[in-house]
């Protein structure tokens, strides 16, 4: 209640009747309590996919220390083990790997986000840090998740290590989300700036992660199986923390240890779709013109073992268990939410309305048209294995509060130059949608957060909203539509109630896409 009372002065812009005032206090206190539970569930989801425990589940040494076991495969160790890695979770993965492997590890090179070691130190996360005198060389780069000169130096060091291996060696590759930006190695004469400009233009026009990675692989020395080819004939074991819907190994970090299945025509089709083919730099045209269907050599990577060690599914499963422990009927809608952020926000807003009619039978039910609209939105988003009917059935049973969980990544088409990220934009759009529907005597809260702790080029992981968002914004002179038109969600949430709706975790040291939580609690 104390936290709620601290926020109230910022909400008060006009005198209220005593009964209305008490009602406002009660609703605000309820929202703050829900927000705290949402934060707890988000933190439990992140905790379930921290790199150390996952890596230890995937790797083990035999008692004699002569064999490395990866799932059901054994690899001989004889001072022949090398390590490379790239991604937002790789610092912690490397620390866990070196602790396990000890003197068996000869040398390592990893590329991690700028500032992550200092962030882990400030947060007291010693388990995420390499020990003094580590055999692993660390490069920091890709500030704001964009390839840069520091990341390029790291990529070249990784390439040099891989190319020096022999048939007697074993290369352990650690891969996580963010790895693509941390492993930039353009095929000459393409420059880093040209490749970065092209991918930025594609992203701004709404290209999917799959389309972006198709272009990246075609222009890279290391992506699309290039790293595996560089390490040949050494054996390669890749341990992968997935940040992509469906966990396709060829897409995660642009598949550096997976042979590319795309050809030049695929690239040209993507460039035509987004109106960029005519504006290509000459260097890009040169590389594409001389590439064949598999620019990285072998059609198979028979010397490679790729293993997914963690994903959004594990994070959601843990959050679901925690929600049930708090007394909620918890249903995982899907770990593969994807599609346009506007459509996704409409889906969550309408879902909250339809859910209200199931949880409070005394209220007027959702119309047949609204039910049909909800299912049409779900079909438009093409969400694999969506458990919508199970969720609606759970609410129809009316056995207490409900928590719906989902994971994935919406697509944001950039139209403005504001600051934000997909999670804050989704939360803001859901908040705008919630005001469209009468929700009655039910508390609703929606949270969207990036499991890496950094939503876009901001210091927030995401944000949470309630149906009162629109009135709260109006009371502070904030126009939601204007902020959305400029993709300026972070600025909006910073100004709203002094940033009270922002989700701050700091860099978490992991990355398995985003987590969405929708709470529905009858009063």
């Amino acid at each position: 209640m104390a936290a709620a009372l601290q926020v109230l002065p910022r909400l008060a812009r006009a005198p209220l009747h005593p009964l209305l005032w008490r009602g406002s206090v009660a609703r605000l206190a309820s929202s703050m309590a829900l927000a705290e539970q949402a934060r707890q569930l988000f933190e439990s989801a992140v905790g379930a996919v921290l790199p150390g425990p996952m890596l230890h589940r995937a790797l083990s040494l035999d008692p004699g220390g002569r064999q490395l076991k990866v799932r059901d495969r054994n690899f001989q160790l004889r001072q022949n083990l090398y390590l490379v890695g790239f991604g937002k979770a790789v610092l912690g993965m490397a620390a866990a790997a070196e602790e396990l492997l000890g003197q068996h590890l000869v040398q390592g090179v990893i590329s991690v986000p700028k500032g992550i070691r200092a962030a882990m130190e400030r947060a007291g996360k010693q388990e995420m840090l390499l020990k003094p005198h580590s055999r692993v060389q660390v490069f920091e780069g890709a500030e704001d998740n964009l390839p840069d000169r520091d990341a390029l130096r790291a990529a070249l060091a990784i390439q040099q290590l891989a190319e020096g291996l022999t048939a007697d060696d074993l290369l352990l590759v650690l891969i996580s989300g963010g790895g693509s930006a941390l492993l930039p190695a353009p095929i000459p004469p393409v420059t880093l700036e040209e490749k970065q400009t092209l991918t930025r233009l594609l992203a701004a026009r709404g290209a999917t992660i799959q389309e972006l990675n198709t272009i990246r692989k075609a222009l890279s020395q290391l992506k699309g199986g290039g790293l595996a080819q560089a390490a040949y004939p050494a054996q390669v074991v890749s341990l992968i923390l997935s940040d992509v819907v469906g966990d396709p190994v060829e897409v995660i970090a642009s598949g550096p240890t997976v042979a590319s299945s795309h050809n030049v025509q695929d690239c040209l089709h993507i460039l035509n779709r987004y109106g960029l083919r005519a504006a290509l730099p000459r260097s890009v045209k040169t590389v594409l013109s001389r590439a064949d269907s598999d620019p990285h050599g072998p059609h198979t990577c028979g010397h490679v073992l790729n293993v997914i060690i963690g994903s959004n599914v594990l994070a959601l499963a843990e959050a679901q268990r925690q929600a049930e422990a708090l007394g909620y009927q918890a249903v995982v809608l899907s770990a593969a939410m994807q599609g346009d952020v506007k459509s996704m926000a409409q889906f969550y807003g309408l879902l909250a309305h339809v859910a209200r009619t199931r949880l409070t039978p005394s209220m007027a039910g959702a119309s047949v048209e609204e039910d049909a609209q909800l299912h049409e939105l779900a079909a438009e988003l093409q969400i694999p294995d969506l458990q919508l009917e199970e969720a609606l059935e759970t609410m129809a049973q009316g056995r207490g509060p409900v928590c719906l969980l989902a994971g994935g990544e919406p697509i944001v088409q950039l139209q403005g130059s504001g600051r934000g990220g997909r999670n804050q934009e989704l939360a803001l759009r859901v908040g705008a949608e919630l005001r469209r529907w009468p929700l009655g005597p039910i508390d609703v809260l929606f949270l969207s957060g990036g499991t890496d702790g950094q939503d876009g080029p901001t210091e927030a992981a995401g944000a949470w909203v309630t149906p009162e968002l629109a009135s709260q914004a109006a009371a502070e002179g904030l126009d939601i539509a204007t902020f959305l038109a400029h993709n300026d969600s972070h600025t909006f949430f910073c100004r709203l109630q002094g940033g009270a709706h922002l989700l701050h975790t700091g860099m978490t040291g992991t990355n398995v896409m985003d987590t969405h939580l929708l709470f529905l609690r009858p009063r």
Side-chain angles (χ1 to χ4, degrees):
M1 178 68 79
L5 290 174
Q6 289 172 9
V7 176
L8 274 174
R10 295 193 289 271
L11 301 182
R13 292 292 182 271
L16 286 176
H17 186 280
L19 289 178
L20 292 176
W21 177 258
R22 285 196 291 272
S24 297
V25 172
R27 285 195 299 275
L28 185 55
S30 179
S31 293
M32 297 303 288
L34 268 181
E36 182 57 34
Q37 290 183 339
R39 285 190 176 94
Q40 290 176 16
L41 263 61
F42 180 78
E43 289 172 1
S44 71
V46 171
V49 287
L50 292 177
M54 288 187 296
L55 191 134
H56 280 284
R57 285 195 292 267
L59 285 183
S60 62
L61 289 174
D62 73 353
R66 295 184 178 181
Q67 284 191 334
L68 177 67
K69 185 172 184 179
V70 185
R71 296 287 167 88
D72 57 349
R73 292 274 300 276
N74 292 316
F75 298 88
Q76 293 294 322
L77 296 180
R78 44 183 181 271
Q79 287 297 299
N80 62 339
L81 179 59
Y82 296 81
L83 179 151
V84 298
F86 31 90
K88 295 179 179 179
V90 160
L91 182 62
M93 294 171 77
E98 189 168 32
E99 180 183 9
L100 173 68
L101 300 171
Q103 298 301 310
H104 293 288
L105 182 62
V106 179
Q107 181 188 357
V109 179
I110 61 173
S111 178
V112 297
K114 183 174 288 294
I116 191 169
R117 285 178 292 183
M120 294 298 109
E121 288 174 0
R122 286 194 301 271
K125 297 180 179 179
Q126 296 300 315
E127 72 280 4
M128 296 281 191
L129 297 169
L130 292 161
K131 300 294 188 291
H133 312 297
S134 169
R135 298 186 180 188
V136 179
Q137 183 180 10
V138 181
F139 288 83
E140 291 191 3
E143 190 169 11
D144 291 333
N145 202 31
L146 295 172
D148 56 21
R149 290 288 164 184
D150 291 329
L152 178 59
R153 281 191 285 272
L156 295 178
I158 287 171
Q159 183 178 19
Q160 184 178 22
L161 186 152
E163 289 177 343
L165 301 179
T166 71
D168 295 325
D169 295 323
L170 173 62
L171 179 64
L172 185 63
V173 183
L174 308 178
I175 302 175
S176 77
S180 189
L182 287 159
L183 195 72
I187 299 173
V190 177
T191 67
L192 178 62
E193 290 75 18
E194 288 171 333
K195 185 178 176 185
Q196 188 174 342
T197 297
L198 180 56
T199 53
R200 188 186 296 120
L201 287 170
L202 283 165
R205 299 188 184 195
T208 66
I209 184 65
Q210 289 83 359
E211 290 171 327
L212 288 172
N213 283 347
T214 297
I215 300 299
R216 286 169 177 154
K217 286 188 282 188
L219 302 178
S220 173
Q221 299 180 73
L222 295 178
K223 298 179 174 71
L227 178 59
Q229 184 185 21
Y232 186 83
Q235 295 184 89
V236 177
V237 174
S238 290
L239 303 181
I240 304 167
L241 187 58
S242 173
D243 72 328
V244 180
V245 168
D247 306 333
V249 292
E250 72 276 8
V251 174
I252 302 164
S254 302
T257 57
V258 184
S260 177
S261 60
H262 298 287
N263 56 38
V264 173
Q265 290 305 312
D266 295 325
C267 296
L268 296 178
H269 179 71
I270 292 167
L271 294 167
N272 282 330
R273 179 181 303 168
Y274 297 104
L276 293 173
R277 184 173 178 180
L280 289 179
R282 180 177 299 176
S283 60
V284 173
K285 293 179 180 177
T286 298
V287 169
L288 292 179
S289 67
R290 70 190 184 201
D292 57 21
S293 60
D294 185 3
H296 295 300
H299 288 279
T300 61
C301 289
H303 62 300
V304 178
L305 172 64
N306 291 302
V307 180
I308 297 284
I309 65 170
S311 68
N312 194 267
V313 172
L314 294 174
L316 292 177
E318 179 58 29
Q320 181 183 29
R321 284 191 288 271
Q322 292 296 323
E324 290 169 347
L326 290 172
Y328 287 90
Q329 297 291 314
V331 178
V332 175
L333 289 170
S334 173
M337 298 294 290
Q338 56 188 335
D340 180 69
V341 68
K342 297 177 185 177
S343 298
M344 194 176 293
Q346 291 170 359
F347 171 78
Y348 281 126
L350 186 53
L351 176 59
H353 169 62
V354 173
R356 183 268 304 174
T357 67
R358 304 295 203 278
L359 286 169
T360 53
S362 60
M363 302 292 291
S367 68
V368 174
E369 290 81 7
E370 289 164 349
D371 254 14
Q373 185 181 352
L374 179 64
H375 285 81
E376 286 173 8
L377 279 170
E380 178 185 325
L381 289 167
Q382 298 181 332
I383 305 167
D385 301 320
L386 179 64
Q387 302 301 307
L388 180 57
E389 298 306 324
E390 179 186 346
L392 295 176
E393 178 61 29
T394 296
M395 288 178 279
Q397 294 171 2
R399 292 186 294 194
V402 170
C403 177
L404 304 180
L405 309 95
E409 289 185 356
I411 296 172
V412 178
Q413 295 194 34
L414 297 179
Q415 298 171 317
S417 57
R419 291 190 72 213
R422 61 178 179 263
N423 289 284
Q424 292 164 84
E425 173 130 352
L426 177 60
L428 183 52
R429 289 189 179 278
V430 170
E433 288 292 327
L434 290 175
R435 69 178 174 180
R436 295 180 54 202
W437 307 103
L439 295 173
I442 181 171
D443 292 322
V444 177
L445 183 142
F446 176 82
L447 178 146
S448 182
T451 54
D452 61 353
Q454 185 179 27
D455 186 34
T458 77
E459 295 181 354
W464 60 271
V465 296
T466 66
E468 291 75 37
L469 180 75
S471 59
Q472 292 166 352
E476 299 197 28
L478 302 173
D479 181 60
I480 293 176
T482 299
F483 284 95
L484 286 174
H486 293 89
N487 299 115
D488 205 14
S489 55
H490 184 66
T491 303
F492 172 88
F493 282 115
C494 284
R495 294 182 183 176
L496 180 69
Q497 298 177 7
H501 287 249
L502 285 169
L503 176 65
H504 284 288
T505 63
M507 287 186 177
T508 62
T510 191
N511 184 20
V512 291
M513 298 189 293
D514 306 332
T515 297
H516 306 157
L517 305 172
L518 179 60
F519 292 82
L520 303 132
R521 188 171 66 183
R523 294 182 192 134

